[in-house]
Amino acid sequence: MIRELFIVFVGFSGGIAVGTGFVAFLSVIGIIPRLTQLTKTIEKIRAYEFAVILGAIFGCWISLRNTVFNLPSIFSVFIGLLAGIFIGMLAAALTEVLNVFPLLAKRIGIQKKIVYLLMAIALGKVFGSLFHWIYFIE
């Protein structure tokens, strides 16, 4: 009984520490408000925040258990697509907030062709992910 309570305490403490750091990271940098500005969905900001919180809670819960989902493989594609969209949007919002691309374009002298830089990065990620998935994943 004491061992189980200790595991619950450690898991809960770790979840609070990671969750607090994650929320502080998102709120200090302002990724969610910037993401709503970019997608022109400012009226859905509460839904974005709620989705991030639920995702963090669900991720913590799954990481504490040996959960196996017996789903058809088509669901794996759908879940992977949603996870990829989330990570991509988060990375895009982060780089937008930090003004990485405008600074990079100015340094290498292609301010007028920043769209090509963004497309090259996005297509590179897509083709790199497809190559990894096709070549390394059986």
Side-chain angles (χ1 to χ4, degrees):
M1 176 77 171
I2 292 177
R3 182 174 180 225
E4 284 84 12
L5 288 175
F6 180 72
I7 291 172
V8 167
F9 176 74
V10 169
F12 187 69
S13 300
I16 287 177
V18 170
T20 304
F22 183 65
V23 169
F25 169 72
L26 291 178
S27 63
V28 167
I29 294 179
I31 289 178
I32 293 176
R34 184 64 183 145
L35 183 62
T36 59
Q37 286 176 348
L38 289 174
T39 58
K40 296 178 179 55
T41 56
I42 195 79
E43 69 277 356
K44 298 187 188 302
I45 193 166
R46 294 283 182 216
Y48 282 106
E49 292 170 345
F50 191 66
V52 168
I53 291 169
L54 280 180
I57 291 171
F58 182 72
C60 288
W61 178 257
I62 293 297
S63 69
L64 290 173
R65 307 178 57 79
N66 282 336
T67 305
V68 177
F69 296 108
N70 294 319
L71 299 172
S73 58
I74 192 71
F75 285 116
S76 297
V77 173
F78 182 69
I79 292 170
L81 180 66
L82 290 178
I85 289 171
F86 173 75
I87 297 298
M89 293 290 284
L90 192 62
L94 180 60
T95 55
E96 180 69 26
V97 168
L98 297 178
N99 294 324
V100 172
F101 291 136
L103 291 173
L104 179 64
K106 186 176 180 182
R107 297 247 178 188
I108 61 177
I110 60 167
Q111 294 97 334
K112 293 182 176 35
K113 300 194 187 321
I114 197 165
V115 172
Y116 297 124
L117 175 66
L118 293 172
M119 289 305 294
I121 292 170
L123 290 174
K125 291 290 290 175
V126 167
F127 288 125
S129 296
L130 284 174
F131 173 76
H132 180 266
W133 188 53
I134 291 169
Y135 187 73
F136 291 111
I137 307 297
E138 296 184 60

